[in-house]
Each structure stands twice: as structure tokens, then as C-alpha cells.
Amino acid sequence: MGVSNNYRTFSQLMEDVSIDFSTYALEGLIEPQQLIKVAQRVNYDLGLRIHRTKQVVIDIEHGKGQLPMDFKYVNYGFRCGSYKVNASMPSGTHVETTNDVPYVPSPGQISPCNTDPTCKDVCVIRTCDNKKEYQLVQKIGPEQYRIFNHWSQLRITSLNDHVCYCPEIGAQAIDTAEIKDGFLLTNFTSGKVYISYQGAMEDAQGDLLVLDQPYCNEYYEYAIKQRILENMVWQGENVSQQLGLVEGRLRAARNNALGFVNTPNFQEMRKVWTMNRRAQYHNYYNMFLSYAPVQPRVVSTPNTSVGSSTTSSGSY
């Protein structure tokens, strides 16, 4: 599924719940601080697909580099090699904007050939020279960019959290790195490392974020409503009928949300189809090899002439 990265804060979620439970809210029976853990549990239940995939270039000094504040899980990483600085000197009045950088052309190129709407300060782009090459572009200032054309694989040795979609944990590479206590520890002293990671479900102010989607919104709201009614039961309130109704709706909302999140999109389906086709080809190839002779040898073609046949018969 291509999850639309639309989020809302926990405060906005509680506003919608308070509107439905307006009577309980006026009586002071809803305490948002007791319900944050419910939204966190729903985020964890929906899985890593609801997290934003981000990328950053980390400066390594003395074998250590600080990870981003919103770092949650690592996907993969590379050690960056040599780079060029593409800088355009401003003339006259220059105004720095905060717009995203969808594409940064390489030096000497005029028109872009690839547009990535999710690219911000760091992005991997394809060059425009039809060589099927890629560049890593990092924005370092107003109209200033670092362009990396060389990088090497980085092996992740150990992690604080075992929940990781990291294909490079067991990679065979000279350069190694370790994630520990918010830092990236490397076996080389200095350099630059590019990592792709899953961001935490928090905004810039540290507020909890939840996925904003109709199917998932019902899951969040019914989970919080169920906890509110459960707390009221422990306080001696007679809300057993309401609690039974909400729990039934909660099960249906959870199934709908998980079905939506776990549904692959077209690109993922195409990737799976391609992998299946390759696996089928390798199966046919291996089956052909399994029926091949162990020690194949060339057998000479017998002579079809009559004289030769008579002579061979006489020799026997």
C-alpha cells in the first residue's frame, strides 16, 4: 500500500474523540495524559509502514556521528566518497526560501530528468546523461550543494533495537558502523555517511503523531473510546452497554486499518511479480542442470557408408 504521509497530532485526535464524548468531556472523565499510550500502541500495531522514510548525511568525526533527533529504525547506509560542491553565488537581493528541493541538476545540466516529490535536503537522483548512474545530493546552504558520485557499502554490526528492516546487518563490507545511544559509531575516524531510516512518529515540537486516514482514524478513535469507557467502569460508572458496543466496533476498525496498511501498492506488486519471474527462471535453470549428465562426453557419429559397415562387421 502506498500510505499517504498525512498525519495529525494526538491533540487533534483527542478533539474528535471529545466531540463524540462531549458529555463525558464536560464532566472531566477524559484525561488525555492517560490515553497517549493507547495511541502509541495503535501506531506500533500498524507497523513500520506508517513511518516516514527519511535520509540524511551524517558527519563523522573521531569515529562518531550524531543521529537525527527523529531517528527510529535504520534501513541501510553507505560511506560517502569524494564529492563536488555546486555553488551559485547570489547577486543583488537574495531571499532564502524553505521550499523542498525536488531535483538538483548535476553541473553542466540545464533541464532536470527526474523529480522526486519526497526529496528535501538530501536525495538520490539519476543523472541526465542516459548512463543509468546515480548521484547523492546534499543541500548545505543557500544555492550550495554537495554532489557525491562515489560511495561504498556500510555494514551495520549491532543495534539497540532488534526491530529493524536493515538488509546490511550481515553485509560483507570493510566499513562497519554501530548504532548506540543516539550515535553512529564507525571504524573509520572521519568521513560522511548516508543513511536511510524510518522517522519517529513525532513532529518538530515532540508531539505524538498518528496516521490521518479514514480507515485508520476509526481504529485510533475506537481504541481511545474503549479505554475511556474501561476507566469509567473501574470508577463505578454504569457504561457496560456502551463498552460492549465500542469493543465490537473496535475489532472491525482494527481489521479494516490493518488491511489497508498491509495492502501493497502497484510498485510493490510489480516488484514481487519480477522477483517471482526471476525465481521461476532460476528454478527452470536448476532443473535443467539437475538432469544434465555428470560427465558429459562427445560421441562420434557412426559412418553410414555400406563399405564401412561391412568392414566393421568383418572385424567382429
Side-chain angles (χ1 to χ4, degrees):
M1 180 213 63
V3 176
S4 58
N5 293 331
N6 296 326
Y7 301 92
R8 57 176 176 168
T9 62
F10 176 74
S11 301
Q12 295 173 339
L13 174 62
M14 288 303 304
E15 290 178 1
D16 293 343
V17 175
S18 299
I19 292 175
D20 295 338
F21 281 4
S22 58
T23 303
Y24 300 147
L26 292 176
E27 295 177 358
L29 298 176
I30 299 178
E31 182 59 39
Q33 298 301 324
Q34 298 177 353
L35 304 173
I36 293 180
K37 56 185 178 182
V38 179
Q40 292 176 341
R41 177 181 58 82
V42 174
N43 284 341
Y44 185 83
D45 191 19
L46 294 178
L48 294 178
R49 293 172 64 89
I50 68 174
H51 292 253
R52 281 194 180 103
T53 301
K54 299 182 178 181
Q55 44 197 354
V56 67
V57 175
I58 302 175
D59 295 330
I60 304 297
E61 294 293 341
H62 304 288
K64 180 187 293 186
Q66 186 174 6
L67 293 171
M69 298 299 295
D70 61 345
F71 176 84
K72 188 63 176 179
Y73 304 108
V74 64
N75 295 328
Y76 54 88
F78 292 93
R79 180 182 179 182
C80 303
S82 59
Y83 62 88
K84 298 179 181 178
V85 177
N86 180 20
S88 300
M89 298 302 296
S91 59
T93 303
H94 178 74
V95 178
E96 173 66 13
T97 61
T98 58
N99 296 332
D100 297 340
V101 183
Y103 179 83
V104 179
S106 59
Q109 300 295 334
I110 299 176
S111 59
C113 61
N114 187 9
T115 300
D116 185 3
T118 62
C119 176
K120 294 185 181 297
D121 294 335
V122 177
C123 57
V124 179
I125 62 174
R126 186 172 177 177
T127 57
C128 303
D129 50 7
N130 296 326
K131 293 183 179 180
K132 295 183 179 181
E133 296 179 353
Y134 292 87
Q135 293 177 339
L136 173 62
V137 180
Q138 178 191 12
K139 182 179 180 180
I140 58 178
E143 300 299 330
Q144 294 183 356
Y145 305 95
R146 289 196 186 110
I147 301 176
F148 299 87
N149 293 317
H150 302 88
W151 49 80
S152 59
Q153 192 174 19
L154 184 67
R155 178 164 60 94
I156 308 297
T157 57
S158 62
L159 301 168
N160 285 349
D161 198 333
H162 296 287
V163 181
C164 167
Y165 177 68
C166 184
E168 298 184 351
I169 292 181
Q172 299 297 325
I174 299 177
D175 300 323
T176 61
E178 177 185 359
I179 295 177
K180 185 177 181 180
D181 300 330
F183 288 90
L184 184 69
L185 308 180
T186 61
N187 64 340
F188 48 90
T189 306
S190 62
K192 299 185 183 301
V193 172
Y194 163 82
I195 64 169
S196 172
Y197 67 97
Q198 300 298 120
M201 296 293 289
E202 297 177 356
D203 59 3
Q205 289 74 29
D207 297 333
L208 178 66
L209 294 178
V210 297
L211 188 64
D212 187 10
Q213 205 279 335
Y215 282 110
C216 300
N217 290 342
E218 289 188 352
Y219 185 21
Y220 285 107
E221 293 177 7
Y222 278 117
I224 292 179
K225 291 177 182 178
Q226 188 267 346
R227 180 58 59 87
I228 293 174
L229 295 175
E230 186 180 271
N231 294 337
M232 294 175 63
V233 169
W234 289 109
Q235 295 175 5
E237 301 290 339
N238 186 14
V239 291
S240 300
Q241 184 177 1
Q242 293 89 330
L243 180 60
L245 176 63
V246 169
E247 287 181 345
R249 299 289 180 88
L250 175 60
R251 286 190 292 268
R254 181 178 182 272
N255 294 333
N256 292 334
L258 292 178
F260 170 77
V261 171
N262 296 324
T263 301
N265 56 15
F266 175 76
Q267 294 181 353
E268 293 172 342
M269 291 293 294
R270 183 178 181 181
K271 182 178 180 180
V272 172
W273 180 82
T274 304
M275 294 176 62
N276 291 337
R277 293 284 294 181
R278 291 179 179 176
Q280 184 180 11
Y281 168 77
H282 287 294
N283 290 336
Y284 287 150
Y285 181 74
N286 294 332
M287 182 178 64
F288 171 77
L289 292 180
S290 63
Y291 287 98
V294 179
Q295 294 180 352
R297 58 190 179 88
V298 179
V299 180
S300 59
T301 304
N303 195 348
T304 57
S305 60
V306 177
S308 301
S309 301
T310 304
T311 306
S312 300
S313 301
S315 62
Y316 282 34

